[in-house]
Amino acid sequence: MTKLHGFIEISREYLTELNGEAVIYKHAKTGGRLLSIINNDENKTFGISFRTPPENSTGLPHILEHSVLCGSRKYPVKEPFVELLKCSLQTFLNAMTYPDKTVYPVASPNEQDFRNLVGVYLDAVFFPNLTPNTLMQEGWHYVPEDDGSLSYKGVVFNEMKGAYSSPDSLLYEHTQHSLFPDTTYGLDSGGNPEVIPDLTFEEFMEFHSKYYHPSNAYAFFYGDDDPEHRLAMLDEYFCQFDKIDPQSEIAMQPPFDKPIALEKRYAASDEGGQKAMVTVNFGIEQDRDAMSDLELNVLEEILIGLPSSPLRKALNDSGMGEDLAGVGLENELRQLYFSTGLKGIDKEDAQKVEELIFATLKELAAQGVAQEDIDAAVNTIEFHLRENNTGSYPRGLSVMISAMTSWLYDGHPLEYIRYEKPLEDIKAKIEKGEKIFESLIEKIFLNNNYRTSVLMVPDSEVGPASEAREKDKLEKARSAMDDQEYAAAVSKARELQEEQEAPDSPEDLDTIPRLQISDLDKHGKEIVCEEKEQLLFHDIDTNGITYLDLAFDFAGLEDRLIPYLPIFGRALTQTGTQSTDFVTMTRRMAAKTGGISPTTIVSAHHASEETCTRFVLRGKATAERTTDLLDIISELLLEASLDNKDRIRQIVLEAKARKEQSLIPSGHIIAATRMKARFNEAGFINELMNGITGLEFLRNLAERVDNDFESVVADLETIRSVILNQANLLSNVTLDGKSFGNIETAIADMVGNLPAGTHSKATRNMHSFSKAEGLCIPAQVNYVAKGANVFEHGYQYSGAAHVISRYLRTGYLWDKVRVQGGAYGSFSMFDRTSGSLSFVSYRDPNLNRTIQTYDGVGEYLNSIEVNNDELEKAVLGGIGEIDDYMLPDAKGYTSMVRYLCGEDAKFRQSIREQVLSCSEHDFRNFAEAAKTVAKHGDIVVLGSKKAMQESGREFDLVDVL
């Protein structure tokens, strides 16, 4: 067989689904696998994956995922990953640990930059500089304290402490473990914080040697780069190895003879108020292929995909809980499973929830699934497959994950990418009237003993008990050390700290490949935008899809009504209308459109003192169904049943539950939102809707829906009458010009049917906040924020601020808060429209130390010598952020936001020029802004009440959970 750069071609075919060619290769020497997708997507993607089944819950795969990116043979800097973040035009740069695989993907629209990223990642995974200090930093190590005791520190250790503080994360883990107790899926590849300190360096090294090998590798390329060069880059590394048998196969879980019920507990506050959660989980015993998986995906959409879906509606209408629980259909593992249930229940109702699930499924199997539900589900899935809208993620990454779903388990890598034939077949079956879904319900749910139920109950003793076990383990470790061993622990910790604080040598830094400033475009690419009175049109090829945004100014809403807006948006789309009941309307939306969803835009205006406030209804449909989309939107805007008490109640309870569950995984956003509420009107409005104030509003609203619903309806109707009119509306359309010409009149007619209305502006009465707020939740980690409005203290904005803010995030803050402090991450957030500068940490074991780090930013920026090399890297990263790759719908929406916020092409070009001309002088100016935060900044901490009480600072404490 012919070899090209060490690879043998196995197959080649054109895929209409990807508008490109798919070539499968095998590396002759090692057996390494390659899937090469060749198409015209400029956002080029590469990934290399390894089967990495853990043997315990020490988090070894996760810790190794972090560690291989901490320097390699060819790139011996401490963290090549961070150096690439600083200076690449990357659109994706990360690594992910799954229960059975570890994935290293990168993407960039610039071919040379893309090759640079691929080269660094290949060297990282195959030839990392793994040392005991790497494991100590990224995994865990002992920290000798001043009193002679020990504590733990490590990036993954604290990341997983955060994960184990999240009830939703725990529910997912317990669900998966309950169904697969005898396989790798019964372990935690991320790491259980109580088990992570059992990991040894010998195990660490052995795992890498066994699994990070071409014989166990799955390489993937996608996009418009040179396809032959892909082979050459891979062979450069693969050829350095001999073939082995990694014995990494993922075992199958034998089904159960009878169902299993488990009860678990999660950490809650002493104040109570938190409720139980339950899931019923079904293991799926059947051979996987594209057709059977697609049928199951449609079944999932039928059962729980829409608010009106029969199983979801039955659970929500039961009144037993606040929101759906479970992941639905989990299809990224070797074995499929389906999980659903309720959160926010009384523990005593868990059995009733399970009984309701089975009763609903039995009724569907006996009476048949409604044709309208089938049509809605099939259209939803077909639309999403054809649109291939991956949001901010590269499309290639989505394709890679789909390929791995079969490829990792020795199936064909294109099994789940070729969707056209199975989609055609399933539609033909449905057309013939085959009872596909009733049979599946019988097989998978009703006649299946391979299932579990997991009940999770809040318990205020869980947190203290976990802390006590950790303390006991540390005390035992300390007492087992003699003086010499303790001195060695002290020495190791000091050595690690010295290594962390030591800068990389210029010679080592020079090994990291990067573009030059001369490679960058001096002028930014503008998004095409045509103004047509109160409509913006973006003539962009959208592959035949109409993207429509209706942006209504809500400046006329008084403060007390603003927190309603997220609820109001869902009420418009999920309560039915005067003409169409809730179930029929949601089915119609799913069958005729690609979705209709609400959002808000809130920002300070660049060129005035005004605040941009828009409630946006976003819709999409194929061009031929645009009139259906317009008819539906018109009916929703004019006739939505805002007095549908049952639906409003459920919407409010769901929103409250989701906000409460997001506090721990998204704590940095909550802390930053609260911080920004102090500084300007936009921040204040955002806090009212999306922050802790918004959560308090939802809790109160839930009571009002039950006790004073008439006033709730009156408020919702007031919002509709104040904002949903022509005077407040800006329409935004993204579509190719020819198709737009066919629908322009229809859009104008739809807008013309709205009330004429008037535009008004309410007076804002911003709340006052304490200088140091402690937002208390039952968590083992903190989210620490400090910030100020630096415009008020004399800082003059320059585009260079974004370069420096990014420089801090990937340099000083990364080193001090993450690497040395053990937090999972830290951010420098600068808002160019409002002037708010905030430093925020994520899953942080520290509090005072982190605040002291923030206070040192100004001095750091004043003291560093910013040489031309560092400056050029910072500028490259800054331009990469400005030139973020966007899909067509994102381009249209972004253009509208810029228009509303007063950021024209001239302003954006000035920012670009300021970024390109960033100098040491700009660093010194930003240092003064950072000193303003240190001297005048407020503090917001979301996290452990104990940590705040022991900090020595005077926090105004608020119990959030």
Side-chain angles (χ1 to χ4, degrees), residues 88-132:
S88 169
L89 303 181
Q90 54 83 23
T91 54
F92 193 89
L93 183 71
N94 212 332
M96 294 92 82
T97 303
Y98 290 80
D100 55 14
K101 60 183 173 286
T102 310
V103 180
Y104 295 87
V106 297
S108 175
N110 181 288
E111 184 152 357
Q112 186 55 56
D113 186 53
F114 178 65
R115 292 180 179 181
N116 293 344
L117 296 172
V118 173
V120 173
Y121 261 48
L122 286 172
D123 205 68
V125 297
F126 289 119
F127 300 108
N129 291 336
L130 300 178
T131 69

Side-chain angles (χ1 to χ4, degrees), residues 58-59 62-64 66-67 132-141 152-159 196-197 199 204:
T58 58
H62 187 191
I63 295 168
L64 194 57
H66 282 237
S67 299
N133 281 355
T134 313
L135 173 58
M136 289 172 66
Q137 174 179 292
E138 298 299 323
W140 76 277
H141 66 279
Y152 292 125
K153 185 185 287 187
V155 173
V156 170
F157 178 77
N158 286 309
E159 179 189 351
I196 287 173
L199 177 62
F204 180 66

Side-chain angles (χ1 to χ4, degrees), residues 725-745:
N725 58 56
Q726 295 179 46
N728 288 325
L729 175 61
L730 175 72
S731 301
N732 188 63
V733 181
T734 307
L735 183 65
D736 68 273
K738 181 180 179 182
S739 299
F740 177 67
N742 297 330
I743 63 170
E744 186 174 5
T745 300

